[in-house]
Amino acid sequence: MANPYRSKEGLSARPVGTSDEIQLRIDPLHGDLDEEITGLHSQVRRLKAVAQEIETETQLQNDLITDLQMTLSQAGAGLKNGMRRLNRTVQQSSNHIAHVIIFGLILFTLVYFWSKIVRK
């Protein structure tokens, strides 16, 4: 057995002192390196294109979220203004309702006394 760390692709790993490092030695006897490099280069190009698409999609989604946040804050401000107006209207209409109730009671009392006077 020549080298226990020898791989099929012509690369061999040597044990090193620290576990953080891996050393590879390229065996020049195998001539398929150009094809491997070309294949790796095309894979890197595809990965770069995928990464760019992901970046574009991320930017679009961030813009959409920003627009949605602005729309929600505007809707919240509109709702707050609407509630303020509704509260003012309720307060004003409660005064009107009190006036209508008082007018009805006075009118009812006058009709009651008038009917008592007319019966006699």
Side-chain angles (χ1 to χ4, degrees):
M1 183 151 83
N3 187 355
Y5 297 108
R6 189 170 184 90
S7 66
K8 294 179 183 176
E9 289 83 25
L11 301 176
S12 62
R14 290 184 275 162
V16 291
T18 63
S19 63
D20 295 355
E21 299 176 6
I22 296 176
Q23 293 183 357
L24 295 176
R25 185 174 56 95
I26 299 175
D27 191 356
L29 298 177
H30 293 82
D32 299 325
L33 293 178
D34 287 338
E35 292 174 17
E36 289 291 324
I37 290 172
T38 304
L40 289 174
H41 184 66
S42 65
Q43 287 179 352
V44 167
R45 242 185 286 132
R46 277 188 264 143
L47 286 174
K48 183 178 177 182
V50 168
Q52 288 173 344
E53 287 294 322
I54 290 172
E55 180 183 11
T56 303
E57 182 67 25
T58 303
Q59 287 174 349
L60 289 173
Q61 289 182 2
N62 283 340
D63 292 343
L64 184 65
I65 288 173
T66 302
D67 291 344
L68 183 61
Q69 286 176 336
M70 289 178 58
T71 302
L72 286 175
S73 65
Q74 289 173 351
L79 183 62
K80 188 176 181 179
N81 288 336
M83 289 300 292
R84 214 177 291 138
R85 288 181 193 162
L86 183 62
N87 285 335
R88 273 190 246 133
T89 303
V90 167
Q91 288 173 355
Q92 290 173 356
S93 66
S94 66
N95 290 338
H96 293 305
I97 291 172
H99 290 126
V100 168
I101 290 172
I102 292 170
F103 176 74
L105 287 174
I106 291 172
L107 186 63
F108 178 74
T109 307
L110 287 174
V111 169
Y112 178 75
F113 286 125
W114 182 70
S115 68
K116 289 287 187 178
I117 294 173
V118 171
R119 279 192 197 171
K120 287 187 177 186

